């Protein structure tokens, strides 16, 4: 395992949020937000209303910025985000998970918890000098965020669809030139 479970989950959740932006939006409604929150283990307050949905949608550009910066830029933004939210890291156990870090209270809005947990995850990435595990999809038509948790650092595409589209394109190109 490259990172701890909570770090990996926060990075994957942030990438899914960023990459879900588009038509149709992966967060089409409150039901999708509640499912997302449960799937990625966000504990604490869940308002389950349109205002919360819009607040979570609104943090996508910040998450994208955080996950695509170089190491020094990511460190700077992590510090800014944690200071803005007055983050105070503490160890917690819940929902069958062993000790892990939370940095804002369970009563903080979901959008704030997502930003802070992503910032804490990127903090781990920066400290481990593994920023190259975060990036942008290699598909020139995509621009999605990639989180590479593979052992051999080989993940280049944000989704199977992007990988398949590029493999088919490369195959067709080779076939034409043969």
């Amino acid at each position: 395992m490259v990172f701890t479970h909570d770090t990996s989950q926060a990075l994957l959740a942030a990438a899914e949020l960023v990459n879900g932006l588009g038509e149709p939006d992966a967060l089409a409604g409150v039901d999708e937000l509640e499912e997302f929150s449960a799937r990625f283990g966000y504990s604490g307050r869940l308002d389950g209303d349109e205002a919360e949905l819009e607040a979570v949608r609104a943090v996508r550009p910040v998450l994208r910025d955080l996950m695509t910066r170089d190491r020094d830029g990511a460190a700077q933004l992590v510090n800014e985000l944690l200071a803005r939210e007055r983050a105070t890291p503490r160890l917690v156990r819940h929902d069958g998970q062993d000790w892990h870090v939370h940095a804002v209270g369970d009563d903080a809005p979901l959008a704030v918890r997502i930003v802070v947990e992503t910032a804490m995850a990127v903090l781990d990435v920066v400290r481990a000098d593994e920023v190259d595990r975060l990036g942008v999809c290699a598909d020139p038509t995509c621009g999605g965020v990639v989180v590479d948790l593979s052992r051999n650092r080989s993940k280049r595409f944000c989704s199977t669809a992007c990988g398949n589209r590029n493999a088919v394109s490369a195959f067709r190109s080779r076939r034409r030139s043969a």
Side-chain angles (χ1 to χ4, degrees), residues 26-124:
L27 287 180
V30 173
D31 290 342
E32 288 82 6
L33 179 60
E34 289 175 358
E35 186 274 330
F36 168 85
S37 175
R39 188 161 32 92
F40 285 105
Y42 287 101
S43 61
R45 174 180 164 190
L46 187 63
D47 298 339
D49 59 20
E50 289 294 322
E52 181 175 61
L53 177 62
E54 289 308 313
V56 170
R57 286 176 175 161
V59 301
R60 287 170 161 166
V62 172
L63 299 177
R64 179 178 178 71
D65 186 20
L66 181 59
M67 297 178 73
T68 57
R69 285 188 176 207
D70 66 16
R71 189 171 186 221
D72 291 343
Q76 178 185 359
L77 186 53
V78 163
N79 289 338
E80 290 171 13
L81 294 170
L82 295 178
R84 182 183 76 198
E85 300 303 337
R86 301 175 197 256
T88 305
R90 66 192 190 290
L91 289 169
V92 297
R93 275 196 291 210
H94 60 83
D95 302 326
Q97 292 184 29
D98 199 5
W99 292 109
H100 59 281
V101 179
H102 282 201
V104 293
D106 289 346
D107 59 336
L110 180 58
V112 169
R113 285 182 284 130
I114 290 170
V115 168
V116 169
E117 288 190 23
T118 305
M120 292 295 292
V122 173
L123 180 149
D124 283 349

Side-chain angles (χ1 to χ4, degrees), residues 3-20:
F3 301 111
T4 60
H5 177 73
D6 57 320
T7 295
S8 297
Q9 284 297 100
L11 294 171
L12 293 171
E16 185 171 312
L17 277 176
V18 170
N19 294 345

Side-chain angles (χ1 to χ4, degrees), residues 140 162-176:
C162 284
N164 287 345
R165 184 172 42 255
N166 280 269
V168 168
S169 176
F171 171 77
R172 288 178 178 160
S173 178
R174 286 190 306 271
R175 203 168 175 197
R176 276 192 301 270

